[in-house]
Amino acid sequence: MGKEVFSQLIHQLSPRKHNPFIAVNCGAIPEGTIDSELFGHEKGAFTGAAQQRKGRFELAHGGTIFLDEIGDMSRSLQAKLLRFLEDGSFSRVGGNEELKVNVRLLAATNRDIIQAIRDNQFREDLYHRLNVVQFRPPPLRERGQDVCLLAEHFLKQFGGTLGKPTLTLAKPAAAKLLAHHWPGNVRELRNVIERAVILAPGPFIEPRYLPPSLVNEQTPTAQQRQVALAPGTTVEEAERRLIMMTLEHTRDNKTRAAEILGISLKTLHNKLNKLRGRGPGSKDDGEPLTP
């Protein structure tokens, strides 16, 4: 949600604003059809291609195309995208005619793209071609009171839709929202508020109308948030303590722990395996680390 809104804002503030803005979720389109979706196809190019079809790039001519979850794109399609980025030329699937368009391309991914390059899952040359200007919008958990401002916005939105326009966020509920980690960012907050509006009779959104997992979540104390390090502590030992503390906070939820630590889930598993004396490719079996 946030990445697309951010991309739309770039489009609206640019000279291309009167031309098309087209968003494509690369992870949501089946592998066998994404080539046709992006570049189009000719009649008879494959079974079911009853007529010629323009692709998203062609439809976005003069405007902006946003490729979300580009890290999920296949290597073969990455190669075709790289060629397209050189001069904006391409051919439809099943066609020989070379077409050319003028589009601004914005791309985003939730994956650790550098790790994907190391794992030979994403082309390094494509990464450098895309990485002209990079934006890193802060996650919701780092935006402080913006959580409450966005919650109030969604309260008005869903309150009007569901016939409850006067709902207000109670202070205890606001405190719960501020303490939550928000791994799902704005989309998760939107769903939480929609649920609360449906359940609350009014006029206040109390904690009991929030998801139980959010209400019962334990917030780490100041002491837990600190990693006590004595002079002479090695980097490896500091990293081990930080990983242990984070896993304890997330109740061994490794996906969330990786998000907090700012690393990929695969990297976290590799670090755990290294700390337990296994090779990087070993599978983590959940064996606890000793302090």
Side-chain angles (χ1 to χ4, degrees), residues 38-42 52-55 57-59 61 83-84 87-93 95-102:
L38 292 179
F39 296 105
H41 62 252
E42 298 290 350
Q52 183 192 80
R53 179 182 177 181
K54 293 183 179 180
F57 281 111
E58 200 169 347
L59 294 173
H61 179 60
R83 289 195 297 273
F84 168 77
D87 61 0
S89 62
F90 66 97
S91 297
R92 299 190 189 105
V93 176
N96 296 317
E97 181 185 3
E98 187 173 272
L99 306 171
K100 194 167 186 176
V101 294
N102 179 358

Side-chain angles (χ1 to χ4, degrees), residues 39 45 80 96 106 109 115 138 154 170 182 189 240 250 284-285:
F39 296 105
K80 188 167 183 177
N96 296 317
L106 303 174
T109 180
Q115 187 62 46
F154 290 131
W182 300 110
L189 175 62
R240 185 185 73 85
T250 63
D284 174 34
D285 60 5

Side-chain angles (χ1 to χ4, degrees), residues 10 82 142 247-248:
I10 292 174
L82 182 63
E142 296 178 6
L247 287 172
E248 181 180 358

Side-chain angles (χ1 to χ4, degrees), residues 29-246:
I29 301 175
E31 176 70 26
T33 62
I34 189 170
D35 195 348
S36 171
E37 285 289 333
L38 292 179
F39 296 105
H41 62 252
E42 298 290 350
K43 180 179 179 180
F46 50 83
T47 303
Q51 58 186 5
Q52 183 192 80
R53 179 182 177 181
K54 293 183 179 180
R56 306 293 181 90
F57 281 111
E58 200 169 347
L59 294 173
H61 179 60
T64 302
I65 187 163
F66 170 55
L67 300 182
D68 197 6
E69 301 303 345
I70 196 169
D72 295 338
M73 183 178 286
S74 69
R75 293 272 304 187
S76 59
L77 191 56
Q78 289 174 34
K80 188 167 183 177
L81 178 60
L82 182 63
R83 289 195 297 273
F84 168 77
L85 289 174
E86 293 302 322
D87 61 0
S89 62
F90 66 97
S91 297
R92 299 190 189 105
V93 176
N96 296 317
E97 181 185 3
E98 187 173 272
L99 306 171
K100 194 167 186 176
V101 294
N102 179 358
V103 298
R104 175 201 284 119
L105 189 145
L106 303 174
T109 180
N110 279 320
R111 294 188 64 183
D112 182 341
I113 204 69
I114 301 301
Q115 187 62 46
I117 292 171
R118 291 179 185 140
D119 295 339
N120 201 33
Q121 296 174 351
F122 198 85
R123 294 179 62 112
E124 185 173 6
D125 49 0
L126 177 57
Y127 168 74
H128 290 302
R129 188 67 183 84
L130 290 169
N131 194 31
V132 178
V133 178
Q134 187 177 106
F135 298 96
R136 287 184 176 268
L140 187 57
R141 63 181 173 272
E142 296 178 6
R143 290 167 58 181
Q145 291 293 329
D146 282 2
V147 173
C148 294
L149 292 174
L150 286 166
E152 294 289 351
H153 165 74
F154 290 131
L155 276 178
K156 291 179 182 178
Q157 178 182 327
F158 292 117
T161 302
L162 300 172
K164 301 179 181 179
T166 58
L167 290 174
T168 303
L169 191 65
K171 287 185 178 180
K176 290 293 183 182
L177 296 182
L178 288 170
H180 185 52
H181 180 65
W182 300 110
N185 283 303
V186 177
R187 184 176 285 108
E188 181 187 1
L189 175 62
R190 182 181 186 274
N191 292 341
V192 165
I193 297 302
E194 182 178 17
R195 176 187 190 276
V197 171
I198 292 171
L199 295 178
F204 295 103
I205 299 293
E206 301 286 353
R208 63 179 179 272
Y209 303 124
L210 302 176
S213 58
L214 188 152
V215 174
N216 298 326
E217 188 173 46
Q218 293 184 355
T219 303
T221 63
Q223 183 178 4
Q224 289 173 321
R225 283 193 292 262
Q226 295 175 354
V227 182
L229 299 176
T233 303
T234 65
V235 173
E236 185 176 357
E237 173 62 15
E239 182 177 70
R240 185 185 73 85
R241 293 188 192 182
L242 182 59
I243 289 173
M244 288 177 61
M245 183 192 71
T246 307

